[in-house]
Amino acid sequence: MKSRNLLRVGASALAVAGLFLAASGASADPNYRPYKYGITPIDPSLPIPHVGPYTGQYVAPLTSRSGKWKYVGNLPFTSGPWNAKLLTDGTVLVDDSCTSQWYKLTPDGKGKYEDGTWSVIAAMPSGYSPLYFASQVLPDGRLIMNGGEYNGSGCIAVWTKLGALYDPVKNKWTSVAAPTGWGSIGDAESVLLPDGTYMLADCCDSSQALASISGTTVTWTAQTGYGNNDEEAFTPLPNGDVLLVDVWKTGSNYDDYEIYDTAAGTWSLAGQTPDLLTTSAKELGPAPLTPIYGRRGTIIQFSANSSSGVSDIYDIASGTWASGPVMEVAGTIYDCADAPAATLPDGNVLVQASPGVYKSPSHFWEFTISKLGQVTATQVDDPKGASNDPSYAGSFVMLPTGQALWDDFTLVATYTPKGRPKGKWLPVVSSVSSTLTVGSSGNAISGTNFNGFSLGASYGDDGQMSTNFPLVRITNNTTGDVCFGRSYNFSTMGVWTRGTTSAEFDIPASCETGASTLQVVVNGIASAGTAVTLS
């Protein structure tokens, strides 16, 4: 993605601006729309195109499967919140876009986020204030990020190759140099391979690199890509490989798709999708993995093609594709030309879509798959502000509460779904000490399903919001108060991992002592409770 709506106004002014926008379709601030690398951008003073009348928020029938939205208050942002990251201590970092500042959302004493507390963290390294960049939470609990399509005050389109590593324990950023010879990273995709290796793409050519990280030193090893990386996404597979649908290698009615063999370190053509999913703008939607159907799960590759609107469904076990449903409102097709999606605890996929490339309004759907493999899309409630949003404005991250947290440069909200996970998807704690000490570090924990069956949320290039790692949540039996351990040293970062895996966790000194219940939470799915005593 290469666009955003910069809103720099207060809450009361937002209400007035919303009325003006609805009446005129005008933009209160510059809109930096997507455009191809090396091409003159669209005039940012032009309003976002809107399709149809301004009908406001959609409210689903009470009998539908729609979840409900709540709003996080006391937003501290000066430029706009986007691209939230769940850290391994249960806090959420949210970027104040095109500034050097991130803000941390700490849940309240009961583990809820809507009434959580915002605090500022250390500023990023001088000169690095990106928007739309590659990022991952590493197995040691740190956050790495590279590139940025925009950078600095005013969101200048530079496709920067700058990078940084954030240590949440020290509250410190360290600059990270780009791989040797790279002239850009920009709005790139990234992924963690099962052994924890960080694989990064250059947005604007075929270059890829693998990172070896020791302390604050990042060493890169060149990796050969299959073709141009721009506007594509990495989706990890249960066997440890990675799938990519290609926006540059297409036919009249299909996209090529490729698979990265992690063991061999090579890409190869795997076949074609049943439908053309991309547009002349070379955009594509998210590709979330869900365990809801098939022996090895299903990938829903959302389409950016506003002509057909057909999203394609990939059965991983059989390696076969099928055409999926179309999202449609009042005869208008909605697509995902850059858009967020989240795999909910029940396996349904929540997605934001809008009509045509970079146009408003946005609406939301839950996709589900029947036991027979039939895929259906059900429109669900909209959050406030969606009527003025193109789909690219939103991003999701899964919370340990089972909610999806959403932001769109103006709001931060939670979506609470109705469904529940299957029992076999729950993490299972097989080993942890029954007596734990507050303020202690390096506590061992092991079990199964610790890395879940998906990445949690997905977007593609522009931003990654993966949560396929185990959080440790401890609830005091007397008060019901919640604290999170800080987990790290994950033995794997794969999805659908079989067998026992392990991690370590530290317990904050602020945790309450006494009889408690410990749970491991992955992608919003919590294990059964294990009795522990904190002293």
Side-chain angles (χ1 to χ4, degrees):
M1 178 200 297
K2 310 174 184 66
S3 176
R4 60 154 302 181
N5 187 356
L6 293 175
L7 293 175
R8 307 175 188 273
V9 292
S12 61
L14 275 174
V16 175
L19 294 174
F20 174 74
L21 287 166
S24 66
S27 172
D29 286 283
N31 294 282
Y32 297 91
R33 292 181 180 83
Y35 57 99
K36 297 177 184 178
Y37 181 74
I39 304 298
T40 302
I42 300 170
D43 183 350
S45 66
L46 294 175
I48 293 173
H50 186 92
V51 176
Y54 285 85
T55 56
Q57 291 174 260
Y58 173 78
V59 178
L62 292 177
T63 56
S64 80
R65 68 166 64 102
S66 177
K68 295 299 178 185
W69 294 93
K70 290 185 178 180
Y71 301 92
V72 180
N74 302 314
L75 302 187
F77 305 94
T78 60
S79 181
W82 199 76
N83 200 345
K85 312 291 184 188
L86 178 68
L87 297 184
T88 67
D89 63 357
T91 62
V92 177
L93 294 187
V94 186
D95 183 22
D96 196 1
S97 48
C98 283
T99 76
S100 63
Q101 201 57 69
W102 290 70
Y103 291 90
K104 180 168 68 173
L105 177 61
T106 302
D108 67 16
K110 304 302 181 184
K112 304 298 184 183
Y113 290 81
E114 293 86 356
D115 295 319
T117 302
W118 292 100
S119 58
V120 65
I121 69 168
M124 296 186 68
S126 178
Y128 193 31
S129 304
L131 175 65
Y132 308 142
F133 46 82
S135 60
Q136 295 289 340
V137 174
L138 297 171
D140 63 10
R142 293 183 295 172
L143 171 67
I144 191 170
M145 51 189 288
N146 299 92
E149 182 174 315
Y150 295 97
N151 190 49
S153 176
C155 279
I156 307 303
V158 293
W159 287 273
T160 183
K161 63 177 183 178
L162 296 175
L165 184 65
Y166 178 66
D167 185 331
V169 175
K170 297 179 180 179
N171 188 26
K172 182 178 180 180
W173 293 91
T174 305
S175 294
V176 173
T180 301
W182 284 25
S184 62
I185 296 175
D187 55 330
E189 59 266 38
S190 70
V191 70
L192 288 181
L193 302 178
D195 67 357
T197 298
Y198 175 61
M199 185 164 76
L200 173 69
D202 182 333
C203 70
C204 305
D205 61 24
S206 61
S207 300
Q208 296 172 6
L210 303 178
S212 174
I213 304 173
S214 176
T216 58
T217 300
V218 179
T219 304
W220 299 99
T221 300
Q223 179 73 45
T224 302
Y226 188 85
N228 196 321
N229 298 307
D230 198 15
E231 304 302 329
E232 298 170 344
F234 295 145
T235 301
L237 298 174
N239 67 353
D241 293 345
V242 180
L243 180 142
L244 178 149
V245 173
D246 202 320
V247 305
W248 298 95
K249 299 179 184 297
T250 64
S252 60
N253 60 348
Y254 66 84
D255 294 75
D256 282 353
Y257 74 99
E258 292 100 44
I259 289 180
Y260 176 72
D261 185 321
T262 299
T266 57
W267 287 92
S268 60
L269 176 66
Q272 287 77 38
T273 63
D275 301 281
L276 182 64
L277 302 170
T278 58
T279 69
S280 59
K282 299 301 181 185
E283 293 289 359
L284 190 62
L289 170 65
T290 173
I292 201 171
Y293 175 80
R295 288 189 298 106
R296 304 299 281 163
T298 304
I299 292 172
I300 303 176
Q301 176 61 73
F302 286 99
S303 176
N305 186 338
S306 58
S307 297
S308 68
V310 177
S311 296
D312 284 350
I313 315 300
Y314 182 66
D315 183 326
I316 295 171
S318 65
T320 58
W321 290 87
S323 298
V326 175
M327 293 174 282
E328 191 171 345
V329 177
T332 298
I333 291 173
Y334 278 61
D335 64 82
C336 297
D338 280 335
T343 303
L344 302 173
D346 65 355
N348 286 357
V349 172
L350 175 66
V351 67
Q352 179 177 354
S354 57
V357 179
Y358 319 131
K359 298 176 182 178
S360 65
S362 284
H363 291 302
F364 292 73
W365 282 262
E366 280 195 32
F367 275 57
T368 190
I369 309 175
S370 73
K371 293 180 179 179
L372 299 178
Q374 181 179 4
V375 183
T376 58
T378 300
Q379 191 175 356
V380 298
D381 286 359
D382 289 339
K384 293 184 295 186
S387 60
N388 292 317
D389 281 344
S391 62
Y392 68 74
S395 73
F396 284 123
V397 70
M398 287 304 300
L399 298 175
T401 54
Q403 300 166 299
L405 185 137
W406 174 82
D407 51 50
D408 73 338
F409 298 114
T410 59
L411 298 172
V412 179
T414 60
Y415 179 85
T416 304
K418 286 185 176 180
R420 297 291 183 269
K422 293 182 179 180
K424 63 182 180 181
W425 299 344
L426 271 59
V428 176
V429 177
S430 59
S431 177
V432 68
S433 176
S434 60
T435 57
L436 299 165
T437 305
V438 298
S440 62
S441 60
N443 298 285
I445 190 167
S446 60
T448 55
N449 293 349
F450 271 23
N451 293 83
F453 298 87
S454 74
L455 294 180
S458 65
Y459 193 100
D461 73 325
D462 304 326
Q464 296 86 49
M465 306 85 176
S466 305
T467 55
N468 59 316
F469 47 78
L471 299 178
V472 177
R473 182 172 66 193
I474 303 172
T475 305
N476 186 276
N477 292 349
T478 300
T479 65
D481 291 340
V482 169
C483 75
F484 286 90
R486 186 186 73 86
S487 56
Y488 54 96
N489 284 351
F490 310 129
S491 61
T492 182
M493 292 302 298
V495 294
W496 288 70
T497 301
R498 294 175 174 171
T500 299
T501 59
S502 62
E504 297 178 43
F505 65 100
D506 301 341
I507 303 177
S510 57
C511 287
E512 294 174 338
T513 58
S516 303
T517 301
L518 180 148
Q519 294 171 289
V520 162
V521 189
V522 185
N523 297 332
I525 300 177
S527 70
T530 297
V532 296
T533 300
L534 270 59
S535 60

